[in-house]
């Protein structure tokens, strides 16, 4: 059964979110996409947009590999990248792939609907990885810093492992290499290879004092396991001579096992909105159906007391319909089954409940361990959606899946004596519309789109 709250394309393979931007009144979500199959191959950029982060319209493919005779540098695939507002429009920087070569490329939106992109004749912008010891070089985070554009590219160095590299430019086309921005040794963040860098100024889009947050996704050394997405906060020292990130604190972005390759962007109201890819292909039931891969719920990021803080986007509360009080320990019956919903454990219950078991009408069970959230501030919010679970409390998030649990008939709250004195409730959630329609000339009211089957 398709997810109701989470975005997924109607068919094909989806992975990393790309080119996130709010433009002309709409949130634009691009993503790694194989339109011709349900496996990782043939990477295009898919595209969806929303006026409110809830109702999504799936659009036509926005960026295609090749063709080889005019764009040989990305004839194999168009890998991940980011979007920037530039000269009254939107430009994207992405990794063009030709065989084993992966190099930065630039393209410009063809219209205000961002329905497609015109590739720059200067591509690839960097003809080769800019240092001899760089073994991996891909994915991009770009921002404006005074009179310069700053770009981060993730990857790895021989004998050094995961690294992020800094570049600078006056015009988005000609880039100077400014050296290693941060690496495994300087941050104590693990990883043989780092991917999908996402940097933002901690105090907002106009912040200039160098304080920032950097998120990276990790490919571990062979035989090693651990969290897949990490954050770092610190200060950036920059200028004409280059840039270096001085790490102050680090931590894990998501304590579950599905969240990967997140990207974030500024909303018009100053919030930093994040999406991540949920790796449902790793779920035992995740390869059934016409589409593979799901996007996370929208999240809000901030830096508080030097640490990354994550919470559900405020818009998600608009989906709430009615609340039903449930016991903070024991079993809550959900009237035959709900595809999606929200469980809220208020502070006392949140500290006392050790785990939540989601049970399907057929008796399949999924256990969500809440140990990582014990002792944090505020209520715990658990969203479930056709076998996908996202948990939030006190600035921490966790994501899991068991796609056998297409509906939840019962919730079993396993807690100690203190939990019994707490409050808990289950919210029935509205089902947001999922639409299809062209991106060019997209009207704010969505009247040109049609409902997905």
């Amino acid at each position: 059964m398709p997810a109701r709250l989470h975005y997924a394309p109607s068919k094909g393979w989806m992975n990393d979110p790309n080119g996130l931007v709010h433009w002309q009144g709409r949130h634009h979500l691009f993503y790694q996409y194989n339109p011709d199959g349900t496996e990782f191959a043939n990477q295009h950029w898919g595209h969806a947009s929303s006026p409110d982060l809830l109702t999504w319209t799936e659009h036509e493919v926005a960026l295609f590999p090749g063709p080889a005779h005019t764009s040989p540098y990305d004839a194999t695939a168009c890998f991940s990248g980011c979007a920037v507002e530039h000269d009254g429009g939107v430009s994207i920087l992405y990794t063009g792939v030709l065989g084993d070569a992966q190099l930065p490329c630039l393209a410009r939106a063809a219209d205000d609907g961002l329905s497609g992109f015109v590739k720059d004749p200067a591509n690839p912008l960097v003809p080769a990885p800019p240092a001899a010891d760089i073994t991996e070089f891909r994915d991009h985070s770009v921002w404006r810093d005074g009179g310069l554009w700053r770009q981060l590219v993730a990857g790895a160095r021989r004998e050094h492992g995961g690294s992020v590299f800094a570049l600078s430019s006056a015009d988005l086309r000609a880039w100077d290499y400014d050296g290693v921005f941060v690496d495994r040794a300087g941050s104590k963040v693990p990883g043989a290879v780092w991917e999908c860098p996402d940097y933002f100024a901690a105090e907002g889009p106009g912040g200039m004092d160098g304080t920032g947050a950097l998120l990276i996704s990790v490919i571990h050394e062979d035989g090693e396991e651990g969290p897949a997405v990490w954050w770092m906060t610190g200060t950036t020292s920059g200028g004409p001579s280059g840039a270096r990130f001085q790490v102050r604190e680090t931590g894990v972005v998501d304590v579950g096992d599905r969240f990967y390759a997140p990207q974030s962007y500024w909303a018009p109201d100053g919030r930093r909105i994040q999406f991540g890819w949920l790796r449902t292909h790793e779920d035992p039931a995740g390869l059934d159906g016409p589409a593979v891969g799901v996007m996370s719920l929208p999240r809000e990021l901030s830096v508080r007391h030097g640490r990354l803080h994550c919470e559900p986007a405020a818009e998600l509360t608009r989906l709430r319909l009615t609340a039903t009080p449930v016991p903070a320990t024991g079993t809550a019956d959900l009237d035959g089954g709900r595809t999606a919903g929200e469980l809220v454990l208020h502070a006392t219950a949140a500290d006392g409940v050790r785990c939540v078991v989601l049970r399907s009408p057929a008796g399949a069970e999924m256990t969500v361990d809440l140990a990582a959230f014990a002792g944090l501030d505020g209520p715990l919010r658990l969203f479930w959606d056709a076998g996908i679970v996202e948990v939030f409390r006190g600035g921490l998030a966790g994501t899991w899946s068991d796609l056998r649990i297409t509906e939840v008939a019962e919730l079993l709250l396993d807690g100690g004596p203190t939990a019994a004195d707490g409050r808990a409730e289950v919210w029935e959630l509205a089902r947001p519309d999922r639409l299809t329609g062209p991106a060019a000339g997209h009207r704010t009211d969505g009247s040109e789109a049609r409902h997905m089957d």
Side-chain angles (χ1 to χ4, degrees):
M1 179 180 293
R4 292 186 175 184
L5 309 181
H6 295 77
Y7 175 77
S10 55
K11 68 179 184 70
W13 165 281
M14 178 178 71
N15 55 290
D16 308 0
N18 293 159
L20 304 184
V21 66
H22 187 275
W23 180 253
Q24 300 290 320
R26 297 186 71 83
H27 301 270
H28 289 268
L29 168 65
F30 299 92
Y31 46 88
Q32 289 287 280
Y33 183 51
N34 177 6
D36 300 322
T38 53
E39 66 282 336
F40 177 78
N42 186 37
Q43 298 307 101
H44 297 53
W45 277 32
H47 181 202
S49 71
S50 171
D52 58 8
L53 295 174
L54 302 174
T55 298
W56 290 94
T57 300
E58 182 180 353
H59 302 307
E60 64 273 34
V61 172
L63 185 66
F64 296 78
H69 65 282
T70 57
S71 305
Y73 49 82
D74 66 4
T76 301
C78 297
F79 274 7
S80 290
C82 64
V84 294
E85 296 183 25
H86 176 233
D87 286 347
V90 172
S91 295
I92 60 170
L93 288 98
Y94 68 98
T95 298
V97 181
L98 175 63
D100 293 333
Q102 301 180 5
L103 295 170
C105 297
L106 176 68
R108 178 80 170 173
D111 52 59
D112 280 342
L114 312 189
S115 64
F117 293 90
V118 178
K119 297 174 185 179
D120 197 280
N123 289 339
L125 305 178
V126 179
D133 65 343
I134 295 176
T135 57
E136 303 282 350
F137 189 69
R138 61 178 174 268
D139 308 334
H140 314 270
S141 181
V142 178
W143 71 99
R144 191 72 173 171
D145 179 12
L148 288 176
W149 291 99
R150 299 286 186 185
Q151 177 178 187
L152 302 181
V153 181
R157 289 181 296 152
R158 194 174 297 109
E159 307 299 331
H160 294 277
S163 304
V164 170
F165 310 101
L167 301 93
S168 58
S169 172
D171 62 1
L172 288 179
R173 289 184 175 87
W175 291 89
D176 294 321
Y177 179 51
D178 296 329
V180 176
F181 188 66
V182 67
D183 61 11
R184 185 172 62 185
S187 65
K188 309 303 181 186
V189 172
V193 179
W194 289 353
E195 298 188 297
C196 304
D198 185 36
Y199 176 87
F200 65 96
E203 56 284 309
M208 297 297 291
D209 71 352
T211 302
L214 174 65
L215 283 69
I216 54 96
S217 296
V218 168
I219 298 176
H220 289 284
E221 300 278 3
D222 289 343
E224 292 186 355
E225 295 182 353
V229 187
W230 290 73
W231 59 262
M232 316 169 204
T233 58
T235 56
T236 301
S237 57
S241 62
R244 181 79 183 180
F245 195 55
Q246 304 297 325
V247 177
R248 292 177 177 171
E249 297 199 47
T250 66
V252 175
V253 173
D254 188 291
V255 297
D257 57 8
R258 292 291 183 260
F259 189 79
Y260 195 75
Q263 188 175 108
S264 62
Y265 65 106
W266 294 113
D269 59 7
R271 293 178 299 157
R272 189 76 179 184
I273 304 297
Q274 180 194 63
F275 286 92
W277 168 40
L278 305 187
R279 299 180 289 183
T280 55
H281 66 287
E282 296 183 355
D283 190 290
L287 296 177
D288 293 337
V292 172
V294 174
M295 209 57 68
S296 73
L297 296 174
R299 304 176 176 189
E300 297 180 18
L301 301 183
S302 58
V303 175
R304 303 184 184 183
H305 308 294
R307 301 181 63 81
L308 188 77
H309 186 277
C310 174
E311 59 188 327
E315 286 83 351
L316 291 168
T317 60
R318 300 179 194 168
L319 297 176
R320 289 177 170 178
L321 297 175
T322 57
T324 302
V326 297
T329 59
T331 300
D333 182 80
L334 300 182
D335 302 324
R338 296 184 187 178
T339 299
E342 180 186 357
L343 169 68
V344 179
L345 303 178
H346 296 277
T348 300
D351 284 335
V353 174
R354 293 182 288 264
C355 68
V356 175
V357 179
L358 293 78
R359 183 176 295 147
S360 77
E365 293 186 349
M366 175 184 181
T367 300
V368 181
D369 187 343
L370 301 180
F373 302 92
L376 301 180
D377 292 335
L380 181 144
R381 298 174 67 183
L382 183 154
F383 295 86
W384 77 87
D385 182 20
I388 301 164
V389 172
E390 296 193 49
V391 178
F392 302 88
R393 189 188 186 198
L396 186 64
T399 310
W400 299 267
S401 76
D402 185 337
L403 300 184
R404 301 173 304 156
I405 314 294
T406 56
E407 290 186 305
V408 176
E410 292 179 330
L411 294 171
L412 174 61
L413 282 64
D414 180 8
T418 59
D421 297 328
R423 291 189 300 121
E425 72 233 12
V426 170
W427 282 92
E428 180 184 1
L429 300 180
R431 180 176 183 171
D433 285 338
R434 292 290 178 264
L435 310 169
T436 60
H442 196 99
R443 289 173 53 179
T444 302
D445 64 6
S447 60
E448 81 299 343
R450 64 178 179 85
H451 282 265
M452 295 174 64
D453 295 333

